[in-house]
Amino acid sequence: MSFSSLQLSQPILKALADLDYTQPTPIQEKAIPVILSGKNLIAAAQTGTGKTASFVLPILQKLNTERKLRGKRIRALILVPTRELAVQLEKSVAAYSQYLELSSMAMYGGADSSAQIQRLIGGVDIVVATPGRLLDMAQQRVLHFDELEVLVLDEADRMLDMGFIGDINKIIERLPEQRQNLLFSATISNEVRSLAKRSIYRPVEISIKQDKTSSPKIEQWLVTVDKGNKSALLSHLIKEQEWDQALIFIETKQGAAKLVSQLEKRGIPVESIHGDRTQAVRERILSEFKSGQIKFLVATGVAARGLDIQNLSRVVNYDVPDQVEDYIHRIGRTGRAGATGEAISFVAKDNFRNLCAIESRLGHVITRRAFEGFDVKKTVPESILNYVTKNKQK
Ligand code: AMP
């Protein structure tokens, strides 16, 4: 199938050609016709499937009319969990709409609001926003929703995990009843379903099968390791396997600082992002990581939420996440459309329960690899599929 058979207009096709998108991904094939037909949609799809274009392209097509924008009005609202995601997603909107006369902006907290207000005063077609800041703008009356045509809740599960449900409900109350609603979520949990039930009338539901577990383009493997040996093992792998790049997830910012100094001592330059770093620093580091100036980036789970990094070749779970969702989300950062990736987990004995929960969710055990000189003293038991933890995983 080609993009032109999806009834997209010439300026959009031209932008896609510039980006070397030759054919739609499965979520794009399914979602674009539904959205163009004006129906509401709930889609189970995670990052890396091309889901962004699956809703942005038809929205652009629908908004590309003669209608003139009024000040302080917007026509499409895309809600996302984090500022990084807002920035990234707006960049995609800008790229896909480069040959159209539509305006877009990212709106998020932690940044000065006066520039954002100035933009809004003139009216903006598409706003990509985090819920808190958006609500703030609406309460300040610099933003009105009477011309809103489409609402997108992107990464709905993440937004709920991060406690945005109150803000989302308040925003939805302000929106016109006549609107199109699109909800995208890596998983459709009970919470997501209840949000959808309250706010989305008779949606079409689609799901991209592989998303439930992982894309086949992601090679997952693990290595069992004693806690005290993790940094030595990481240095060994970086050097022996000549890694070009890795995003390394770690639990705490103290752990991140320690790992950075351990790697630097072994001659591996590395940067870190965590909750204490300012927005400006996080953005600078992220852009240097994306451009390849920084090859190795240590990130705490919280700081890394919502970061969109294209064609990442490798993620490392230096610490295995407590939540299965976090594992699925992290590995989704590699092996994006058209590229393959590798997801490596360092598993210590204490992580056994989490490992079993992850593997049960994937439906298969993760391949174990061993490396000479890194024998474990505390053996991690053989995996058990269909393991049920006491605190049942979502
Ligand atoms: P997303 O799941 O929206 O985060 O997209 C994942 C990555 O795939 C992004 O880097 C997109 O630029 C890229 N992408 C999306 N759709 C296509 C396509 N049809 N062909 C090639 N790359 C794509």
Side-chain angles (χ1 to χ4, degrees):
M1 182 183 264
S2 66
F3 278 109
S4 52
S5 59
L6 287 170
Q7 316 289 325
L8 296 171
S9 62
Q10 275 312 319
I12 296 178
L13 295 177
K14 188 159 182 255
L16 296 178
D18 284 1
L19 291 164
D20 280 334
Y21 289 12
T22 47
Q23 60 182 46
T25 64
I27 181 88
Q28 291 162 2
E29 274 184 27
K30 285 190 181 175
I32 291 173
V34 174
I35 300 173
L36 285 176
S37 77
K39 291 187 181 130
N40 288 333
L41 174 74
I42 299 182
Q46 66 185 46
T47 311
T49 52
K51 72 177 165 72
T52 311
S54 82
F55 59 84
V56 173
L57 301 179
I59 289 176
L60 295 177
Q61 173 98 357
K62 288 166 75 90
L63 296 186
N64 189 34
T65 56
E66 295 284 301
R67 244 181 74 191
K68 193 124 178 56
L69 238 162
R70 289 201 293 145
K72 300 185 187 173
R73 301 313 194 268
I74 63 175
R75 297 170 67 200
L77 171 61
I78 303 172
L79 287 179
V80 296
T82 65
R83 49 196 173 192
E84 284 83 3
L85 197 56
V87 169
Q88 182 62 37
L89 213 152
E90 195 277 329
K91 277 191 189 147
S92 300
V93 173
Y96 300 144
S97 62
Q98 62 173 314
Y99 299 112
L100 296 170
E101 307 240 319
L102 291 171
S103 54
S104 59
M105 73 178 282
M107 193 192 285
Y108 45 85
D112 177 26
S113 59
S114 52
Q116 296 177 2
I117 292 175
Q118 279 311 313
R119 283 286 321 267
L120 276 180
I121 286 175
V124 181
D125 291 295
I126 302 163
V127 167
V128 187
T130 51
R133 175 56 63 97
L134 185 95
L135 192 59
D136 207 31
M137 294 291 189
Q139 283 164 346
Q140 286 189 48
R141 315 202 115 256
V142 285
L143 173 58
H144 303 280
F145 298 111
D146 46 335
E147 311 237 318
L148 187 104
E149 295 167 45
V150 191
L151 167 71
V152 183
L153 300 170
D154 190 24
E155 308 224 350
D157 48 356
R158 285 260 133 198
M159 288 202 281
L160 298 183
D161 281 355
M162 291 172 72
F164 283 133
I165 186 66
D167 286 351
I168 293 175
N169 285 336
K170 283 186 199 148
I171 292 167
I172 289 177
E173 275 170 23
R174 290 173 173 258
L175 304 183
E177 279 198 12
Q178 278 292 337
R179 59 170 201 267
Q180 189 173 20
N181 300 284
L182 314 172
L183 179 149
F184 287 76
S185 193
T187 50
I188 308 293
S189 62
N190 289 339
E191 289 84 357
V192 171
R193 197 158 283 289
S194 125
L195 167 66
K197 238 187 183 164
R198 276 180 285 121
S199 51
I200 305 187
Y201 180 66
R202 292 181 62 179
V204 173
E205 280 202 42
I206 60 179
S207 153
I208 296 301
K209 254 194 215 136
Q210 77 207 37
D211 300 340
K212 283 224 163 102
T213 55
S214 63
S215 152
K217 283 182 185 152
I218 302 167
E219 192 194 346
Q220 298 173 65
W221 54 275
L222 66 82
V223 45
T224 63
V225 59
D226 291 324
K227 271 189 188 156
N229 244 351
K230 283 187 184 180
S231 76
L233 175 65
L234 182 60
S235 313
H236 174 82
L237 291 174
I238 288 174
K239 289 181 177 169
E240 285 298 302
Q241 301 189 344
E242 298 179 355
W243 287 1
D244 57 339
Q245 184 191 46
L247 177 60
I248 301 151
F249 288 102
I250 195 159
E251 207 169 320
T252 63
K253 60 174 190 259
Q254 291 82 1
K258 191 169 161 200
L259 179 59
V260 167
S261 91
Q262 285 166 323
L263 291 177
E264 280 174 346
K265 268 188 206 140
R266 295 190 177 95
I268 299 166
V270 54
E271 262 293 355
S272 68
I273 50 170
H274 47 72
D276 283 357
R277 299 213 120 164
T278 63
Q279 167 74 357
V281 171
R282 278 158 36 134
E283 277 177 8
R284 175 183 57 77
I285 292 176
L286 187 61
S287 88
E288 288 179 11
F289 183 57
K290 284 182 180 176
S291 71
Q293 278 164 276
I294 294 173
K295 287 166 70 180
F296 303 108
L297 181 61
V298 176
T300 58
V302 174
R305 273 187 192 158
L307 296 188
D308 186 32
I309 302 157
Q310 288 187 20
N311 303 327
L312 195 58
S313 53
R314 185 175 298 98
V315 298
V316 178
N317 288 306
Y318 190 82
D319 291 326
V320 175
D322 285 340
Q323 298 292 323
V324 177
E325 287 317 320
D326 285 333
Y327 179 86
I328 303 279
H329 206 75
R330 288 178 189 181
I331 67 171
R333 297 178 188 288
T334 73
R336 311 214 139 183
T340 52
E342 184 174 45
I344 302 154
S345 299
F346 284 12
V347 182
K349 188 161 183 261
D350 292 355
N351 306 128
F352 179 63
R353 276 153 149 269
N354 288 344
L355 174 67
C356 290
I358 290 166
E359 291 178 324
S360 296
R361 173 65 179 283
L362 294 172
H364 61 81
V365 297
I366 300 171
T367 309
R368 295 188 183 201
R369 293 197 192 155
F371 296 90
E372 224 182 293
F374 292 94
D375 294 338
V376 284
K377 292 198 184 77
K378 293 189 173 174
T379 312
V380 181
E382 282 305 309
S383 299
I384 309 164
L385 267 191
N386 306 320
Y387 182 91
V388 180
T389 56
K390 275 197 193 127
N391 308 320
K392 232 177 113 219
Q393 296 285 342
K394 272 191 274 175

